[in-house]
Every structure is written in structure tokens, then in C-alpha cells.
Amino acid sequence: MSLVEHLQELRRRVLVSLAAILVGTIVGFIWYQYAPWRLMPLGEIIRGPYCSLPDELRADFTGDGECRLLATRPLEMFMLRLKIGALAGLVLASPVWLSQIWKFITPGLLKNERRYTFVFVTIAVILFVSGATLAYFILDQGFLILMSIGSEFQIAALSGGDYYNFLLSLIVIFGVSFEVPLIIIMLNLVGVLRYEHVKDKRRFIIVLIFIFAAVMTPTQDPFSMTILGLSITFLVELAFQFCRFNDRKRKRERPDWMDLDDEQGSGPIDAPTPVGSASPIGSSTSIRAAPIERPQPVHRAPATKSSTSQKRGFENDIDFGDVL
């Protein structure tokens, strides 16, 4: 296709993706308050970790003990519902816009590249969803630890915006952190990272992982940090084992001598030996030339009468006029 045709195809696929996200956003906006197909409302699912706190640790704004979040601005409730609906629409429409991206890049890939790209995208989605799900379930214990500190002097009265931003940031951090093993595998497949580079550095890597978990965890509680650190460590170890297996397979298919340079592959070269001196002329070992004999005169036989007459007859037979 020409450049204009590529741009037209890109515009068409972007419009299809935006339309799918818009439909998903409308569904998520409705689902926030009304649960379809006997499901739990989306707003109730999101506020679940906060409502799981004991009654003495959170404020009661209704007087009947029902769990409610606080709104401090007029448009906060509407914008929060719209934000959650848009996020839900992005997730619900992910099969559509992911397929559109796949169909756009597939014609430019080879058969092996298509297979690897599809596998990596699938694994990336699975890892992100796994991290987000783990973050949601450990938020209960993280909230309990955070809200229990100083509960004798204060009580939790969180606004909807602060709570949802905190929850979404934790979900995104866990989801993105779970992509680290996939990055390690990709670096190994392209030949940048090998197992021999990291096999003796596990202690240092584990310390870095836990430092990363302590810095990136928004709750800053030891429970969430430990869960995130242990999860990433387990996944990174699986990635290292994959690197180990892939390096062995690559070594069997490609011997080590093929990766050596010319000097290492040719082996040691012997030093040149000096050339011996020539023997002097006239020595006993030299060969003497034989003397040249004097040439002898050649004797010719006298011409006979018959040969002379034949020669004269041959000259008479030639007509010089014809030749001229």
C-alpha cells in the first residue's frame, strides 16, 4: 500500500477503537451504580477495601452504619463516576482495540515475528491483570495497617477522589511491576542479557527488588511492600530459569567457536625462523661449469652435374613475364 492508504487504514482502525472504548465507557458509567446480570455494582467493588475496615476505624456520615465515601466538591461525584466508567470502558473494549492494533502491524511482520508478538502481548496482558488483581486483594490488609496507626486520636474520613486515585495508582504499580520478568526474557531473546551475567548476582538483585517495592508502593506499609517484593522475586527467578534454558538451547545450535573473532579462532601462530646464509662462490661445495668446446667447420659435398642441370632447368621453366 502507498503512504496515503496506510494513513487511511490507520484512521479507520483508530475510529473503530475509539468507538469501542466509547461504548465500553457508557457501559462502565451505568455499571458504576446499576449492576447488570446480577453482578455487584462497580462502585461497590472499588470501595470494597475501604468498607472492609472495622466500623471504629472509619467515619460514619449516614447514621445507619452504611459505608460511604466523602465528597468535598460539587462535581467530584460526577467526575469520579466518569473516570471510573472510562477506565472500565478501556478494559472492556481491550479485545477490540488490541485486535485493531494487531491487524495494523501484522502485514509488516514475518511469520515468526507474528507468533512471537502475539505470545508476548498475551503474556503481558495476563501479567498486568494478575498484578492488578493482587493489588486489589492485598489493599484490605494494607488499609488496615495504615488506618490502625494513631486510631486513638483520629478516624478515617476519605474523599472519593483521594481514595480512588490511591487505589488506581496501586493497581497500576503492581500491574507494571509484573512486566519486569517479560522485559528480562525479551532482552535474553535478542542476545543482550545472558544467564551467566546474572546467575551470581541474585542477592544483589533481590535487594534491588525490595528497594523498588518499598519506593513504589503508595501505602508504604511493610505488608504490601513484602507481597510486591516476593511476587517480583518469584517472577524474576522464573525469567532467569527461562534464560538458562534458552542459553543452553542456543549453545547447542551455535557452538562457541562461531562467536570468536578471527585472531582467537585461527589459533597460535609460530614465530618465523631466520633464513640461513648463502655459501661463498668457489667453495668446495659449488658446482664448476664444464668448458665449452670450440665449434668444428662444416664440410659441404661438391655439386654434381645432374643437380646443376636440374637447377638450370627449373630456372628455365619460370616465365618471368607471367610473374610481372
PDB file of all heavy atoms in Angstrom, residues 31 34-41:
ATOM      1  N   TRP A  31     -22.725   0.800  34.847  1.00  0.00           N
ATOM      2  CA  TRP A  31     -22.371  -0.268  35.778  1.00  0.00           C
ATOM      3  C   TRP A  31     -21.881   0.282  37.114  1.00  0.00           C
ATOM      4  O   TRP A  31     -21.924  -0.403  38.134  1.00  0.00           O
ATOM      5  CB  TRP A  31     -21.314  -1.161  35.123  1.00  0.00           C
ATOM      6  CG  TRP A  31     -20.944  -2.378  35.927  1.00  0.00           C
ATOM      7  CD1 TRP A  31     -21.648  -2.949  36.940  1.00  0.00           C
ATOM      8  CD2 TRP A  31     -19.758  -3.170  35.759  1.00  0.00           C
ATOM      9  NE1 TRP A  31     -20.993  -4.049  37.428  1.00  0.00           N
ATOM     10  CE2 TRP A  31     -19.825  -4.212  36.710  1.00  0.00           C
ATOM     11  CE3 TRP A  31     -18.687  -3.110  34.879  1.00  0.00           C
ATOM     12  CZ2 TRP A  31     -18.836  -5.171  36.832  1.00  0.00           C
ATOM     13  CZ3 TRP A  31     -17.712  -4.063  34.988  1.00  0.00           C
ATOM     14  CH2 TRP A  31     -17.782  -5.087  35.953  1.00  0.00           C
ATOM     15  N   TYR A  34     -25.543   0.738  38.724  1.00  0.00           N
ATOM     16  CA  TYR A  34     -26.511  -0.335  38.497  1.00  0.00           C
ATOM     17  C   TYR A  34     -25.764  -1.565  37.995  1.00  0.00           C
ATOM     18  O   TYR A  34     -25.052  -1.499  36.983  1.00  0.00           O
ATOM     19  CB  TYR A  34     -27.576   0.091  37.490  1.00  0.00           C
ATOM     20  CG  TYR A  34     -28.298   1.356  37.886  1.00  0.00           C
ATOM     21  CD1 TYR A  34     -27.936   2.577  37.323  1.00  0.00           C
ATOM     22  CD2 TYR A  34     -29.331   1.331  38.820  1.00  0.00           C
ATOM     23  CE1 TYR A  34     -28.587   3.743  37.683  1.00  0.00           C
ATOM     24  CE2 TYR A  34     -29.992   2.492  39.183  1.00  0.00           C
ATOM     25  CZ  TYR A  34     -29.608   3.694  38.615  1.00  0.00           C
ATOM     26  OH  TYR A  34     -30.255   4.855  38.983  1.00  0.00           O
ATOM     27  N   ALA A  35     -25.981  -2.670  38.697  1.00  0.00           N
ATOM     28  CA  ALA A  35     -25.255  -3.902  38.356  1.00  0.00           C
ATOM     29  C   ALA A  35     -26.044  -4.702  37.333  1.00  0.00           C
ATOM     30  O   ALA A  35     -27.182  -5.113  37.617  1.00  0.00           O
ATOM     31  CB  ALA A  35     -25.013  -4.738  39.603  1.00  0.00           C
ATOM     32  N   PRO A  36     -25.500  -4.940  36.124  1.00  0.00           N
ATOM     33  CA  PRO A  36     -26.203  -5.790  35.149  1.00  0.00           C
ATOM     34  C   PRO A  36     -25.968  -7.262  35.427  1.00  0.00           C
ATOM     35  O   PRO A  36     -24.927  -7.648  35.994  1.00  0.00           O
ATOM     36  CB  PRO A  36     -25.585  -5.361  33.819  1.00  0.00           C
ATOM     37  CG  PRO A  36     -24.197  -4.929  34.171  1.00  0.00           C
ATOM     38  CD  PRO A  36     -24.272  -4.366  35.567  1.00  0.00           C
ATOM     39  N   TRP A  37     -26.902  -8.074  35.014  1.00  0.00           N
ATOM     40  CA  TRP A  37     -26.793  -9.533  35.103  1.00  0.00           C
ATOM     41  C   TRP A  37     -26.469 -10.007  36.528  1.00  0.00           C
ATOM     42  O   TRP A  37     -25.662 -10.899  36.755  1.00  0.00           O
ATOM     43  CB  TRP A  37     -25.734 -10.052  34.133  1.00  0.00           C
ATOM     44  CG  TRP A  37     -25.980  -9.606  32.748  1.00  0.00           C
ATOM     45  CD1 TRP A  37     -27.042  -9.902  31.956  1.00  0.00           C
ATOM     46  CD2 TRP A  37     -25.125  -8.750  31.968  1.00  0.00           C
ATOM     47  NE1 TRP A  37     -26.924  -9.292  30.735  1.00  0.00           N
ATOM     48  CE2 TRP A  37     -25.755  -8.578  30.714  1.00  0.00           C
ATOM     49  CE3 TRP A  37     -23.908  -8.114  32.206  1.00  0.00           C
ATOM     50  CZ2 TRP A  37     -25.190  -7.789  29.718  1.00  0.00           C
ATOM     51  CZ3 TRP A  37     -23.360  -7.350  31.215  1.00  0.00           C
ATOM     52  CH2 TRP A  37     -23.995  -7.189  29.986  1.00  0.00           C
ATOM     53  N   ARG A  38     -27.073  -9.358  37.498  1.00  0.00           N
ATOM     54  CA  ARG A  38     -26.941  -9.732  38.914  1.00  0.00           C
ATOM     55  C   ARG A  38     -25.499  -9.648  39.413  1.00  0.00           C
ATOM     56  O   ARG A  38     -25.074 -10.387  40.300  1.00  0.00           O
ATOM     57  CB  ARG A  38     -27.475 -11.147  39.144  1.00  0.00           C
ATOM     58  CG  ARG A  38     -28.965 -11.295  38.867  1.00  0.00           C
ATOM     59  CD  ARG A  38     -29.420 -12.724  39.144  1.00  0.00           C
ATOM     60  NE  ARG A  38     -30.858 -12.872  38.851  1.00  0.00           N
ATOM     61  CZ  ARG A  38     -31.521 -14.011  39.018  1.00  0.00           C
ATOM     62  NH1 ARG A  38     -30.883 -15.098  39.471  1.00  0.00           N
ATOM     63  NH2 ARG A  38     -32.799 -14.070  38.735  1.00  0.00           N
ATOM     64  N   LEU A  39     -24.753  -8.743  38.865  1.00  0.00           N
ATOM     65  CA  LEU A  39     -23.400  -8.515  39.336  1.00  0.00           C
ATOM     66  C   LEU A  39     -23.376  -7.437  40.405  1.00  0.00           C
ATOM     67  O   LEU A  39     -24.363  -6.715  40.603  1.00  0.00           O
ATOM     68  CB  LEU A  39     -22.488  -8.123  38.162  1.00  0.00           C
ATOM     69  CG  LEU A  39     -22.297  -9.156  37.054  1.00  0.00           C
ATOM     70  CD1 LEU A  39     -21.442  -8.563  35.945  1.00  0.00           C
ATOM     71  CD2 LEU A  39     -21.680 -10.433  37.582  1.00  0.00           C
ATOM     72  N   MET A  40     -22.259  -7.316  41.073  1.00  0.00           N
ATOM     73  CA  MET A  40     -22.078  -6.267  42.069  1.00  0.00           C
ATOM     74  C   MET A  40     -21.783  -4.945  41.361  1.00  0.00           C
ATOM     75  O   MET A  40     -21.031  -4.916  40.380  1.00  0.00           O
ATOM     76  CB  MET A  40     -20.923  -6.640  43.001  1.00  0.00           C
ATOM     77  CG  MET A  40     -20.765  -5.710  44.195  1.00  0.00           C
ATOM     78  SD  MET A  40     -19.365  -6.220  45.235  1.00  0.00           S
ATOM     79  CE  MET A  40     -19.964  -7.835  45.786  1.00  0.00           C
ATOM     80  N   PRO A  41     -22.376  -3.837  41.792  1.00  0.00           N
ATOM     81  CA  PRO A  41     -22.073  -2.548  41.154  1.00  0.00           C
ATOM     82  C   PRO A  41     -20.585  -2.234  41.192  1.00  0.00           C
ATOM     83  O   PRO A  41     -19.866  -2.596  42.134  1.00  0.00           O
ATOM     84  CB  PRO A  41     -22.898  -1.550  41.970  1.00  0.00           C
ATOM     85  CG  PRO A  41     -23.989  -2.358  42.567  1.00  0.00           C
ATOM     86  CD  PRO A  41     -23.403  -3.707  42.826  1.00  0.00           C
TER      87      PRO A  41
END
